[in-house]
Amino acid sequence: MLESVHVDYPHPYPPRVSEFSRTFWDALAEGRFLTTRSVSTNRLTFPPKPLSPDDWSTDMEWVELSGTGTLYSHTTIHASPTAFLSELPYTVCIVDLDEGLRLATRYLGDTSPTIGARVRLVTVHHTDRVSYAARAL
C-alpha cells in the first residue's frame, strides 16, 4: 500500500483516463501501483498497455508493483508551462523500480535528492484527481 499525500488544489494538468487506463487510476486512488504484464513473454510494461510491445499479444494481465526503487536522475524545474507556474520550482526524477521498470515522476521532498538513493512512490490526492510522485525512503 502506497502512502498518501493530500494537496488542497486541483491537478495542474490532469491525466487522461481511458476505459483501459481506468484500472490503473482507480487502483492508484486506493494506494496500489499497478501495471501490465504480457502473459506470453512475462514482461512488465509501464505505462500500462493493452498489448505487448514484444509480440503484439493482447493477452495482458494487471500486476501490483512494490512502488520502491532507486533514484536514477533528477532535475529541478525553474521555468515551466503555464499550468505549473504556481508550483515553481519543482523537482522531477527518473526512478528505477525494483521490478526493473524505469519511470519519470515528480519528486517530493525538502532537500535535493541524491542519485542512487532509495525512493518510494506515493499517491498524491489533488482536489480533483490522483497522481503519483516519489520521495526518499
Side-chain angles (χ1 to χ4, degrees):
M1 184 71 94
L2 301 180
E3 176 186 343
S4 291
V5 174
H6 293 267
V7 295
D8 194 26
Y9 54 87
H11 195 291
Y13 192 80
R16 245 187 256 173
V17 179
S18 68
E19 182 180 339
F20 172 77
S21 69
R22 185 167 307 284
T23 300
F24 171 80
W25 295 110
D26 288 349
L28 188 63
E30 298 169 358
R32 298 179 301 124
F33 197 76
L34 301 183
T35 198
T36 49
R37 176 174 49 209
S38 168
V39 173
S40 62
T41 67
N42 207 36
R43 181 175 171 209
L44 295 170
T45 62
F46 191 85
K49 297 171 181 56
L51 54 87
S52 170
D54 296 317
D55 62 6
W56 301 100
S57 168
T58 56
D59 194 8
M60 303 293 283
E61 62 186 353
W62 289 97
V63 295
E64 188 168 351
L65 302 175
S66 66
T68 57
T70 303
L71 187 70
Y72 174 79
S73 181
H74 67 88
T75 190
T76 299
I77 308 298
H78 295 277
S80 74
T82 305
F84 298 98
L85 284 176
S86 66
E87 300 184 31
L88 290 174
Y90 58 90
T91 301
V92 295
C93 64
I94 297 176
V95 174
D96 287 335
L97 294 176
D98 292 344
E99 292 84 359
L101 296 168
R102 180 174 279 176
L103 59 84
T105 189
R106 178 78 62 98
Y107 181 86
L108 303 178
D110 295 330
T111 60
S112 182
T114 303
I115 292 175
R118 296 290 294 157
V119 296
R120 68 173 176 244
L121 299 180
V122 298
T123 58
V124 181
H125 293 267
H126 297 264
T127 56
D128 61 343
R129 299 278 182 146
V130 66
S131 63
Y132 60 91
R135 67 167 29 155
L137 267 175

